[in-house]
Amino acid sequence: GAGVSQTPSNKVTEKGKYVELRCDPISGHTALYWYRQSLGQGPEFLIYFQGTGAADDSGLPNDRFFAVRPEGSVSTLKIQRTERGDSAVYLCASSLIGAYGYTFGSGTRLTVV
Amino acid sequence: TQLLEQSPQFLSIQEGENLTVYCNSSSVFSSLQWYRQEPGEGPVLLVTVVTGGEVKKLKRLTFQFGDARKDSSLHITAAQPGDTGLYLCAGTTSGTYKYIFGTGTRLKVLA
């Protein structure tokens, strides 16, 4: 597609539930990134994919968070047993490998109640 | 853990004024970027700087990368209401494509 697409744009879930957030990157972009942004803060790195594999998952806060990119295109961020502290905007970005700069999607606003 | 501090955190100015936003770190970066983010949207890349001392201009915006590649500044001349937004710097170190973002500067330009 023309840009990075993230769905859903908003997600409200109950504490303890499981959620999946989807990212569809720009066609041909081999690198895909997930960030989390809390209100009034800069984005915080979660995980980076190069192709199908996670090249760096050092930002995942704990084992409740997991991300996949099985075919090297669409990626899904999965959060188990959600907690209120997981509430944030989850941003996805993609780029050509080695290129400077990302193209971000508009994000998924996750609210855990 | 590398940390990028931005100052000021908040800035409210009148249309036509000039301003400078700073991005500082104790780490050396192989490249540094500036983004602008509007409510409900993802950050949009404005510029990338890679060489110490480099200066880039984008219309009324001037970006500078420090000689030691540890800091950067963004200067806006004759600010307009359309410049309102959250300005973010982001840096990466050699050997990684992961960008670490700064704390952000929220700018409001009043008409």
Side-chain angles (χ1 to χ4, degrees), chain B residues 21-67:
Chain B
V21 175
Y22 298 93
C23 173
N24 293 289
S25 176
S26 57
S27 299
V28 175
F29 293 101
S30 57
S31 70
L32 192 140
Q33 303 178 330
W34 285 90
Y35 289 81
R36 188 175 85 190
Q37 185 177 23
E38 299 192 30
E41 299 295 325
V44 175
L45 180 67
L46 297 174
V47 76
T48 301
V49 286
V50 297
T51 304
E54 183 176 1
V55 176
K56 281 192 173 179
K57 293 194 174 186
L58 182 66
K59 297 184 181 177
R60 294 176 293 101
L61 278 61
T62 301
F63 304 86
Q64 183 159 10
F65 201 11
D67 290 342

Side-chain angles (χ1 to χ4, degrees), chain B residues 78-101:
Chain B
Q80 299 177 0
D83 296 328
T84 293
L86 178 67
Y87 287 82
L88 295 159
C89 62
T92 187
T93 53
S94 294
T96 176
Y97 297 113
K98 174 178 75 180
Y99 278 86
I100 301 301
F101 279 80

Side-chain angles (χ1 to χ4, degrees), chain B residues 71-88:
Chain B
D71 55 87
S72 180
S73 64
L74 158 60
H75 182 79
I76 301 179
T77 303
Q80 299 177 0
D83 296 328
T84 293
L86 178 67
Y87 287 82
L88 295 159

Side-chain angles (χ1 to χ4, degrees), chain A residues 21-106:
Chain A
L21 312 180
R22 177 188 167 108
C23 173
D24 201 340
I26 291 173
S27 178
H29 279 191
T30 52
L32 185 146
Y33 308 81
W34 284 99
Y35 282 78
R36 178 169 71 174
Q37 188 173 27
S38 299
L39 192 62
Q41 302 292 320
E44 172 192 6
F45 172 79
L46 295 176
I47 185 169
Y48 149 54
F49 286 91
Q50 185 173 326
T52 60
D56 185 341
D57 64 357
S58 61
L60 294 177
N62 51 60
D63 62 6
R64 295 187 298 105
F65 288 75
F66 190 71
V68 296
R69 195 186 185 200
E71 297 177 358
S73 179
V74 171
S75 176
T76 305
L77 178 65
K78 308 180 181 195
I79 310 174
Q80 299 177 323
R81 304 184 304 279
T82 51
E83 300 177 357
R84 292 198 179 90
D86 299 334
S87 296
V89 175
Y90 288 81
L91 293 165
C92 175
S94 70
S95 74
L96 293 168
I97 198 69
Y100 294 123
Y102 303 156
T103 301
F104 278 91
S106 296

